[in-house]
Amino acid sequence: MTGTARSIHDIDTVALEGTEDAPELVIIDQTLLPGEVVLERLATREEAWRAIKRLEVRGAPAIGVSAAIASYVDAARAHAGLVEGLSAPADAPAMLARVAETCDYLGGARPTAVNLTWALARMRRAAEAEAAQLEAIGVSGAEAATAIVSRLREEAEAIRDEDVRVCHAIGEAGVELVREGDGIVTHCNAGKLCAVRYGTATAPIYVAHERGMNVHVTCDETRPLLQGARLTAFELMAAGIETCVECDDMSASRIREGAVQLAFVGCDRVAANGDVANKIGTSMLALACARYGVPFYVCAPTSTIDLSCKTGADIVIEQRAAEEVTEMWYAQRMAPEGVDVYNPAFDVTDADLVSGIVTEYGIARPPYDVSLAEVFRRKAEAEAEAAVAPHRAAATEEGSR
Ligand code: MRU
């Protein structure tokens, strides 16, 4: 571990640094927040896996970007002969085999957030497509291995840069729901610390703040790992946004008192029917919002939407260690030794409790089978447009000569 930073908003949550031959994944170690802002530089896939598992880096988009960068870092270091016990992959098949192995390994770190497997599948596809192209033009051996590593770097940087753009677009779409003076409740951390910048659930809040609107945010503490109290409150306060922390069991009471007009939460996986998996406790908040008529919005990039899951019942919920409930964050163990502990990291909120899903392509509303399909239609249209734009620009330039 090296380096300390002064403000959380000065640094990206996840970054790619180091040299071409010896790149590094750089993360903010979130287990130390809010006490210390420490950057951790990760050089091996084992270090990256452990950082994801231990929640040093966490939140669906951030673990996707981290895994993408880590898979590139591993390929570049393998190529440079820096991976202990491995001779440098000498050609395209050897390099593809290493990339596939690394992606499988990293994808096993956490099961619920689809962004992790989504980002790794992109990395793998990019490497395979590059290899196929090289083969078609007769490039092989070490030259092909080098080109695959370069392509992986481009893809990891694209995934990182897209995350920033997508979160900002979610902010622009979601700010339309915010009114001057609103009390907003959020659960866990779906803030800048769950992505590269902006976050998802906090993105509309940051955009509202940038536009000079006054809002006050209630952060659910988020037992057992306290992401709301430790991370969301910390980053919102650092941005100068009025913030209050409540224990999770206080939210219904606060909503009933009229202190909350709107809920924004993040998400780890959206099923095709609009059921959403997010941090444990989210469904309780959604139920309280429904009871008192508070709109409950889920902010999710399209990389979090998994149409292959028909309903929330298909989403694998991560179970975590009992000690997170009984010991962590307490000066002394607070539950009897040997007690059984229920510690799922996530829960599923039923689609009928969700007022809308704020994506980078606008807000999807019930019925979600129709509106999510429309979101993906807009995405495909935007991607097709972006693919032809450079050719159109080149043709215009040619024509003006
Ligand atoms: O276990 P964590 O801290 O990774 O859980 C994070 C959450 O549940 C977030 O709300 C979710 O990943 C959305 S972040 C955009």
mmCIF file of all heavy atoms in Angstrom, residues 109 209 294:
data_model
loop_
_atom_site.group_PDB
_atom_site.id
_atom_site.type_symbol
_atom_site.label_atom_id
_atom_site.label_comp_id
_atom_site.label_asym_id
_atom_site.label_seq_id
_atom_site.Cartn_x
_atom_site.Cartn_y
_atom_site.Cartn_z
ATOM 1 N N ALA A 109 -15.115 -14.207 -7.622
ATOM 2 C CA ALA A 109 -14.895 -13.506 -6.347
ATOM 3 C C ALA A 109 -16.201 -13.186 -5.633
ATOM 4 O O ALA A 109 -16.303 -13.317 -4.409
ATOM 5 C CB ALA A 109 -14.086 -12.223 -6.578
ATOM 6 N N HIS A 209 -27.224 18.921 -6.894
ATOM 7 C CA HIS A 209 -26.336 19.796 -6.105
ATOM 8 C C HIS A 209 -25.566 20.749 -7.029
ATOM 9 O O HIS A 209 -25.486 21.951 -6.762
ATOM 10 C CB HIS A 209 -25.385 18.918 -5.297
ATOM 11 C CG HIS A 209 -24.494 19.659 -4.360
ATOM 12 N ND1 HIS A 209 -24.970 20.352 -3.270
ATOM 13 C CD2 HIS A 209 -23.142 19.825 -4.358
ATOM 14 C CE1 HIS A 209 -23.952 20.911 -2.628
ATOM 15 N NE2 HIS A 209 -22.839 20.594 -3.272
ATOM 16 N N VAL A 294 -43.999 7.013 -0.792
ATOM 17 C CA VAL A 294 -42.755 7.668 -1.241
ATOM 18 C C VAL A 294 -42.244 6.941 -2.492
ATOM 19 O O VAL A 294 -42.046 5.724 -2.461
ATOM 20 C CB VAL A 294 -41.691 7.632 -0.116
ATOM 21 C CG1 VAL A 294 -40.325 8.058 -0.634
ATOM 22 C CG2 VAL A 294 -42.124 8.524 1.040
#
